[in-house]
Amino acid sequence: MRLLFFISLFTLFLHAQTLLVINSNSDVKKYTEAVDEFSKNFNQPFKILDISHMKSREIKKYLYDEYPDSVYAVGAKAYQYANEYIPEKEIYFSSIADWKKLTMEGKRYGISNELHSGMQLTIVKSIFNNIKTIGVIHSKYTQNIINDLSQDAEVLGIKIIPIKIDEDSVNTIQSEDTVQHSDAMLVIADPVFLNNEKAVENLFRLSKEHKKPVIAYHELFIKYGATLIISADNPTIGRQMASMIESKLNEEPIENIQYPAGTNIILNKREAALIDVEFTPDISSIATEVIE
Amino acid sequence: MKIVFLILLFANILFAESVKVYLYTPEINTNNFKSLKISFDAYLSAYGNYELQPFSDKETFEKYLKKKSSIAILSSWHYREIAQKYNLEAMLVAKRKGSITDRKILVGQKNTLLKGVVTSAYDLEYTHELLNAITKNNSKELSILRVPKEIDALMSVGFGMSRFALVSKDSYTLLQHINPVLSKNLKIYYESEPEYRMFLASNEIDKEDNRVVTIFKNMELSDSGKNILNMLGIDKLVFFNTANLEDAGDTK
């Protein structure tokens, strides 16, 4: 009887999955928020490794020594190391801007850093009921975002007005006409546009002149005068990942790549008052923070 | 003599303990506490030495309730659970769109079995209790993912991050209005009995009762008060008494 017990215990031990959480940099708030909330909600043992001050060879040695069954990589740096040294393992990832640029072969699962465009637009519509047209500056690198936005906007009765730019035209963007004829402007993470601070400042200046709200994806844009910030909620990403890995361990079907389930919404009420834009009286049930 | 009096008065003001209004309800957006507190304190300061103390977790909230003279804003579910223990009596009840009650619903994608992830903006304990109650203990195969707001819970179902959402019927109505196409693919699987919205309750021995109740009752009469009520997601606070039961305004 005892022998049977020990054999069962040994078998269980053999089958216990080991999980390593790799934090690209524990000084980065969005990474740590996701890791902290993951830790509180994942109900199985795991280890955490912060690689911010580790050399490549140290990371390599650690991964070879530990050789975990699964890795949760938080941030691009963590993903790249796991993908390079233990590519045969299950790798889960989150908090990576534009994950589609990563090498994705093998068992890869993750939560994108960007919200579903339909989710973004539903929030916009719920806050600014009267918005019918939204202008967006983009390059060829973000054409897929424009396509998604246009498709999801249509069902909400919103029209996306794109302004396509490239490395040459970014200095002379003719956006005044679009700003004038749009109900709002949306800033997306376009590398060509964002690399030119003058172009960004110009968009905010024109929007203010024409009293149009600017909607952006990061609170950094508040200093430029953004009226609304819509981004993914990092703690929810941590909880969502815990739920995702547990579902996988229980052999339940999961979507390999998911959109974030929670939003972080900041309404700049001060800016809204300055440009005289109306917003919903139900703002408390939608916004995470209201800047008075 | 006058100087002594003024010094004593100043010392009294300086060291007088403010009357705390404790707030915890899983039904409001917890991240909004900063602006809620600023607005509340600014409003209450016109009436005396009052201060709002919001809590994001139930245990800490209850720990503070142990102190004498408690004034609390809490959900009717939580009130039912702790009223006797902390000697609380509901004085005011929240009203929204003409109703002092709301229903909780379990919304899901159409033709789905009762298993998988359910998104909820409430804390885990409340979510478990609600799920068990409305599904009649049929929720064993559901796992909970907490999200910041009810609209997130609903959109997660709509855009495929979860199979079900546990929300108030008010929020579902809001989504139907904003995005009818998305909500067309959703279905209400279970619905709770009407529950009272949040209560303002006080400890029976608190002598400040009537004054505080009047301050909160009159919130709907000023712009700053209305702003706070908006932040709480309600239109006004009305007296809670048996007459309310006849005027419950069931939202079903």
Side-chain angles (χ1 to χ4, degrees):
Chain A
M1 195 64 187
R2 265 193 185 174
L3 186 67
L4 259 177
F5 173 76
F6 281 115
I7 290 172
S8 312
L9 201 68
F10 183 66
T11 318
L12 266 177
F13 177 74
L14 276 182
H15 284 88
Q17 293 276 312
T18 53
L19 174 73
L20 176 68
V21 178
I22 310 179
N23 186 344
S24 293
N25 187 345
S26 58
D27 291 332
V28 176
K29 194 177 154 204
K30 75 170 181 176
Y31 297 159
T32 306
E33 283 177 339
V35 172
D36 287 351
E37 207 64 14
F38 175 86
S39 307
K40 285 183 212 158
N41 289 274
F42 189 67
N43 297 319
Q44 305 205 24
F46 62 92
K47 285 183 179 175
I48 299 178
L49 177 70
D50 174 14
I51 57 168
S52 50
H53 302 296
M54 287 173 80
K55 292 190 173 82
S56 292
R57 57 180 164 76
E58 291 170 331
I59 298 168
K60 184 179 178 181
K61 185 176 181 315
Y62 188 95
L63 290 178
Y64 283 176
D65 288 348
E66 284 290 324
Y67 203 59
D69 297 306
S70 310
V71 167
Y72 168 26
V74 185
K77 189 176 159 190
Y79 178 85
Q80 278 156 354
Y81 278 113
N83 190 53
E84 187 176 341
Y85 297 131
I86 45 171
E88 66 281 13
K89 298 295 182 182
E90 272 182 355
I91 303 176
Y92 297 82
F93 66 85
S94 78
S95 319
I96 298 175
D98 205 358
W99 63 270
K100 286 175 185 164
K101 283 184 183 159
L102 300 170
T103 313
M104 288 274 160
E105 279 165 21
K107 293 174 246 173
R108 302 292 181 265
Y109 313 91
I111 298 167
S112 75
N113 202 43
E114 297 78 26
L115 293 167
H116 190 293
S117 54
M119 210 162 170
Q120 271 180 291
L121 291 164
T122 304
I123 288 164
V124 171
K125 187 84 179 169
S126 66
I127 295 175
F128 303 123
N129 292 318
N130 300 326
I131 281 185
K132 299 272 184 293
T133 48
I134 299 177
V136 192
I137 297 173
H138 76 101
S139 69
K140 63 179 181 184
Y141 303 108
T142 47
Q143 185 60 50
N144 57 335
I145 297 177
I146 295 298
N147 297 345
D148 291 345
L149 278 169
S150 302
Q151 199 180 327
D152 290 317
E154 210 180 314
V155 298
L156 286 161
I158 297 173
K159 190 168 186 269
I160 298 294
I161 306 176
I163 307 169
K164 196 162 186 176
I165 55 164
D166 57 28
E167 283 80 355
D168 297 326
S169 65
V170 67
N171 291 308
T172 54
I173 306 172
Q174 300 299 312
S175 55
E176 183 148 16
D177 198 41
T178 305
V179 172
Q180 208 173 347
H181 292 100
S182 299
D183 295 324
M185 294 301 291
L186 175 69
V187 175
I188 59 170
D190 185 89
V192 178
F193 176 61
L194 295 182
N195 274 340
N196 192 314
E197 198 172 353
K198 207 175 139 200
V200 175
E201 283 171 351
N202 198 36
L203 172 72
F204 278 93
R205 185 185 53 78
L206 282 172
S207 300
K208 196 167 271 189
E209 271 175 28
H210 292 283
K211 297 197 159 195
K212 302 293 166 75
V214 180
I215 302 153
Y217 64 92
H218 196 286
E219 51 197 88
L220 191 80
F221 292 100
I222 289 172
K223 73 169 184 186
Y224 289 91
T227 309
L228 181 66
I229 307 296
I230 307 172
S231 58
D233 181 62
N234 298 316
T236 307
I237 287 179
R239 291 194 292 273
Q240 195 175 348
M241 182 54 81
S243 163
M244 194 176 182
I245 300 178
E246 275 174 355
S247 296
K248 189 79 178 61
L249 290 173
N250 295 331
E251 295 179 350
E252 289 162 13
I254 58 163
E255 286 283 332
N256 287 4
I257 309 292
Q258 297 181 6
Y259 284 102
T263 58
N264 186 45
I265 296 157
I266 305 171
L267 176 76
N268 190 347
K269 203 170 161 185
R270 205 173 43 208
E271 197 62 37
L274 277 174
I275 58 170
D276 203 20
V277 63
E278 278 183 28
F279 57 87
T280 176
D282 282 330
I283 190 67
S284 63
S285 60
I286 301 165
T288 316
E289 190 186 339
V290 177
I291 299 174
E292 298 288 340
Chain B
M1 194 64 186
K2 263 188 183 173
I3 293 172
V4 174
F5 173 74
L6 286 174
I7 290 170
L8 282 172
L9 190 71
F10 180 71
N12 193 29
I13 292 167
L14 201 67
F15 298 109
E17 203 181 330
S18 59
V19 176
K20 301 275 198 308
V21 178
Y22 302 117
L23 181 143
Y24 167 74
T25 163
E27 288 159 333
I28 66 162
N29 181 6
T30 53
N31 293 329
N32 258 336
F33 282 168
K34 196 173 141 196
S35 39
L36 186 67
K37 184 171 166 53
I38 292 168
S39 308
F40 242 115
D41 289 354
Y43 177 83
L44 292 172
S45 66
Y47 300 94
N49 201 10
Y50 297 105
E51 192 187 338
L52 179 79
Q53 189 149 356
F55 295 90
S56 58
D57 76 284
K58 200 175 157 210
E59 283 70 31
T60 321
F61 170 76
E62 288 186 21
K63 204 170 90 184
Y64 277 80
L65 276 187
K66 282 177 187 164
K67 292 182 177 174
K68 63 180 174 63
S69 302
S70 299
I71 299 161
I73 298 174
L74 72 174
S75 69
S76 60
W77 153 79
H78 196 185
Y79 175 79
R80 231 181 9 247
E81 193 181 287
I82 64 165
Q84 206 172 5
K85 188 175 173 189
Y86 296 104
N87 208 18
L88 291 173
E89 189 185 339
M91 311 298 283
L92 299 175
V93 60
K95 198 165 188 174
R96 183 183 154 90
K97 294 192 173 135
S99 167
I100 57 167
T101 62
D102 188 23
R103 286 172 185 269
K104 299 289 186 283
I105 54 172
L106 187 68
V107 183
Q109 293 155 353
K110 285 180 178 165
N111 305 317
T112 301
L113 294 172
L114 201 58
K115 60 197 285 191
V117 175
V118 51
T119 33
S120 164
Y122 313 134
D123 67 26
L124 278 180
E125 188 188 348
Y126 185 42
T127 304
H128 275 299
E129 191 177 310
L130 267 173
L131 280 176
N132 285 337
I134 66 172
T135 65
K136 298 188 171 49
N137 293 321
N138 210 5
S139 59
K140 288 182 187 67
E141 291 191 75
L142 292 173
S143 60
I144 298 161
L145 171 60
R146 279 184 305 116
V147 290
K149 296 167 286 287
E150 293 200 347
I151 195 162
D152 292 333
L154 280 167
M155 288 193 295
S156 292
V157 183
F159 294 114
M161 284 78 86
S162 67
R163 278 204 190 170
F164 296 94
L166 185 69
V167 292
S168 67
K169 204 165 180 182
D170 280 355
S171 294
Y172 186 53
T173 309
L174 180 70
L175 184 77
Q176 282 176 314
H177 174 70
I178 301 163
N179 196 336
V181 178
L182 191 73
S183 32
K184 207 169 72 183
N185 298 320
L186 306 180
K187 178 188 160 184
I188 297 176
Y189 282 80
Y190 292 96
E191 188 162 342
S192 77
E193 289 300 313
E195 287 273 350
Y196 287 115
R197 295 179 192 274
M198 65 183 80
F199 284 134
L200 180 129
S202 69
N203 189 307
E204 284 166 17
I205 57 158
D206 179 24
K207 291 192 177 101
E208 290 276 343
D209 274 358
N210 291 331
R211 194 169 148 69
V212 172
V213 166
T214 310
I215 294 167
F216 278 87
K217 173 77 182 61
N218 291 341
M219 265 183 159
E220 57 167 316
L221 304 176
S222 69
D223 285 345
S224 54
K226 273 185 196 160
N227 181 39
I228 294 167
L229 293 169
N230 265 339
M231 289 168 125
L232 293 172
I234 58 177
D235 297 335
K236 57 167 92 170
L237 284 156
V238 297
F239 285 117
F240 181 72
N241 53 44
T242 46
N244 289 140
L245 299 171
E246 290 159 22
D247 183 32
D250 182 0
T251 54
K252 191 170 185 179

